[in-house]
Each structure stands twice: as C-alpha cells, then as structure tokens.
Amino acid sequence: MANEVTALSIVHTIQDLQQLLTERRQQGLSVGFVPTMGFLHEGHLSLVEQARQQNDVVVMSIFVNPAQFGPGEDFEAYPRDIERDARLATEAGVTILFMPTREEMYPQEGGIRILPGPQAAELCGASRPGHFDGVLKVVLKLFNIVDPDRSYFGLKDAQQLAIIETFIRDFNLRTKIVRVPTVREQDGLAKSSRNVHLTEAERKEAPVIQQALQLGAGLVVEGLSVNDIEQQVADAIVTNSSGSIDYVSLLAYPELTQADATSKEVILACAVKFSKTRLIDNIIIPLKG
Ligand code: PAF
C-alpha cells in the first residue's frame, strides 16, 4: 500500500499523538506501528519498510522502557541518540515519531504487573527474571495508546515475538502482529543497538554466534540429540571467541516447549556475554513434523 502521509511529526505526549491519529483515522487511513527503544539500525528500518508497504500511516515509538530492565542490567548504559534517530526515522518514511518521557508513560511507579505464561520461563526469561513482564506492560500501553492495525516485530527477539503473539491471542487485542526477519551485517552478526558496546576484538569474534547456530541447524537436520546440539553450538562459540555462554537452547517454536518429533518448527537460540554487552541471536528451523 502506498504511504499517503509522508511528513514526519514528532510528538512527546499521548494526547498529541492521539490527536494526530484521530485526524488520520477520520480520513480512513490505516496505521502500522513499530515500537522501538531507539538507537536505530537497519533492523528497525526494515520494520518501517514493511510497515510502509502495508499501511498508510507509520507510527514509531522510541522509549527505553525501564520496566523491562532488571537491577544491574544496562538501562543507564543503553545507547541513545535521539537526533540521529529522528533523522533516520524521517529518511525511512516514518509518519509519526512518538518519544514519550518516563513520566508520560509511567506517571506512577508500581501499579499492575502482567505475568506472562510458561513461554517466558525459558531463554532470556530465565536469565532476566521479570523482563517480559516489563515488555508486556509497555507493549500493552503502547497498543492502547496507538491502537494500530498492524504492529511490526523482529525475529531477532523471537521469544519476545512469540510471547506477544500469545498475549494478543489470549487478550483479544485488535492489532495484527507482523513478523519481520532479522537483518544482519555482511559477516552474519545480527544487527543490534547493543553491538556498539563491543570492543574492536569482540566485534571481530561476534559473527561466530551465527556461524555456530548455522552449524547447530545442520545438526538438527541430521537428527542429533538436543543435548549434543546445544553442547556443540556452545563449544563452537567459546572456542572461537572470548564470549561466555548465558544459554544455548533448542525448543519448539513458537511454543518454547521441549522440541520433539511432532514439532513443526524449532528455535535454536543463544545469549552470549562479552565484556560490556550481552548479545542474543537465533535460527528458526522448519521440521517435517
Ligand atoms: O524490542 C524492543 O525494542 C522492546 O522490547 C520493545 C518491544 C520496544 C518494548 O520496549
């Protein structure tokens, strides 16, 4: 679909955003939504590109959500560059950029918590207790504020995507979720805002993550046991980099339950810690079932 509205409006309050959206809706325009935490890269821009193709208006939010960071995690250090983000969003064809303050999103601390189900007990949910509670809280708020027809999420955060799809289904939320493939550097490293925190040496080593996952995908197809696959992937990463393993896990996708012969798709996912940053990546492998 052609994007009929092209000039970028930047708004900081819910009221201003909703006023703009009411006007667009009265004109019968559809709304695509790209939620982000900013420090934009080509992964975010590919979400915008897809949103532009399918909607008249593209809303992007930039909000580093404190509720999804645990104590000792990188909330303060999370990279931020609002001016660069606004320029990239304009060039990418975002129609409305919503950049709320913390007070705008959370006028009062505490309040209601949303507890995700068993999908959140695995992978990053196991390493980052409470992380997905915070993701669901902000995502629900953003869905209610924007009321998008379609919302765009990257498969790099495949667990987040799976949990949000369950949330949409379980709570009959109106927006339709669109899955967008991971965008990679030429050497295979998944694009991430956090890559900026890698040292030069770590940046050279980091593509080993995707190479190890590819190796693991081959072993899945060969039919090796889950334990052997996870072990070989972990070994390939630690042998060829200074990264340490947070987890390597093979599960049914999107259920995130134990993979077995009936699984239609499986995810081989890992989190690797370098000196100042923790990177995640995954590969989703279709099975004959
Ligand atoms: O994927 C992210 O950047 C964040 O988790 C999201 C969905 C914007 C919620 O803060």
Side-chain angles (χ1 to χ4, degrees):
M1 185 177 297
N3 196 30
E4 294 174 22
V5 186
T6 48
L8 177 76
S9 306
I10 299 183
V11 290
H12 299 279
T13 66
I14 296 167
Q15 193 181 6
D16 287 350
L17 174 67
Q18 289 185 329
Q19 191 177 335
L20 285 179
L21 285 172
T22 303
E23 289 163 14
R24 305 292 193 273
R25 287 231 173 68
Q26 280 165 353
Q27 296 161 28
L29 301 179
S30 58
V31 176
F33 178 44
V34 179
T36 81
M37 298 206 299
F39 211 70
L40 303 180
H41 52 69
E42 283 153 42
H44 299 113
L45 304 182
S46 76
L47 303 178
V48 173
E49 179 54 33
Q50 185 131 353
R52 268 166 51 96
Q53 285 169 20
Q54 297 176 333
N55 305 276
D56 302 306
V57 173
V58 177
V59 178
M60 173 187 276
S61 62
I62 296 183
F63 179 63
V64 184
N65 172 34
Q68 67 190 74
F69 290 81
E73 291 189 351
D74 60 348
F75 174 67
E76 299 296 343
Y78 196 85
R80 295 160 169 90
D81 188 340
I82 291 304
E83 278 172 24
R84 178 176 162 276
D85 283 350
R87 179 172 51 76
L88 290 175
T90 309
E91 288 167 6
V94 170
T95 329
I96 303 174
L97 185 54
F98 176 48
M99 296 197 290
T101 60
R102 182 173 181 156
E103 293 68 36
E104 184 71 2
M105 289 299 284
Y106 297 111
Q108 284 182 329
E109 298 295 326
I112 305 292
R113 279 179 66 197
I114 303 174
L115 289 184
Q119 281 168 305
E122 304 294 336
L123 310 176
C124 289
S127 317
R128 304 182 65 190
H131 168 66
F132 289 111
D133 310 13
V135 170
L136 290 185
K137 181 152 183 172
V138 81
V139 162
L140 180 60
K141 286 169 75 74
L142 290 166
F143 287 161
N144 283 333
I145 292 165
V146 179
D147 189 21
D149 296 287
R150 299 177 193 82
S151 300
Y152 294 79
F153 288 87
L155 274 160
K156 178 175 157 287
D157 295 305
Q159 182 177 22
Q160 168 174 279
L161 183 40
I163 292 170
I164 291 172
E165 285 176 345
T166 303
F167 190 44
I168 300 278
R169 186 199 65 205
D170 283 4
F171 290 87
N172 303 94
L173 302 183
R174 189 182 83 83
T175 195
K176 182 178 178 316
I177 299 296
V178 181
R179 296 179 178 187
V180 181
T182 303
V183 178
R184 299 184 178 280
E185 304 285 354
Q186 286 209 329
D187 58 14
L189 176 64
K191 299 248 183 195
S192 163
S193 305
R194 290 185 166 101
N195 290 350
V196 73
H197 288 317
L198 295 170
T199 64
E200 214 179 308
E202 289 168 346
R203 172 64 191 82
K204 286 196 183 124
E205 296 168 355
V208 75
I209 297 174
Q210 177 57 201
Q211 289 156 15
L213 290 173
Q214 293 284 354
L215 166 92
L219 302 178
V220 171
V221 174
E222 280 177 35
L224 264 70
S225 76
V226 170
N227 279 349
D228 284 350
I229 295 166
E230 291 172 348
Q231 191 58 57
Q232 288 202 36
V233 171
D235 288 348
I237 293 170
V238 293
T239 311
N240 296 297
S241 78
S242 55
S244 61
I245 302 295
D246 180 349
Y247 63 78
V248 173
S249 208
L250 179 69
L251 295 168
Y253 192 80
E255 302 83 0
L256 303 181
T257 49
Q258 215 174 349
D260 62 31
T262 65
S263 308
K264 291 203 177 70
E265 278 193 325
V266 292
I267 184 168
L268 181 57
C270 67
V272 180
K273 285 183 185 156
F274 288 93
S275 58
K276 284 200 230 100
T277 197
R278 174 180 173 279
L279 301 183
I280 58 169
D281 199 358
N282 69 77
I283 187 162
I284 293 176
I285 307 149
L287 299 180
K288 287 195 190 102

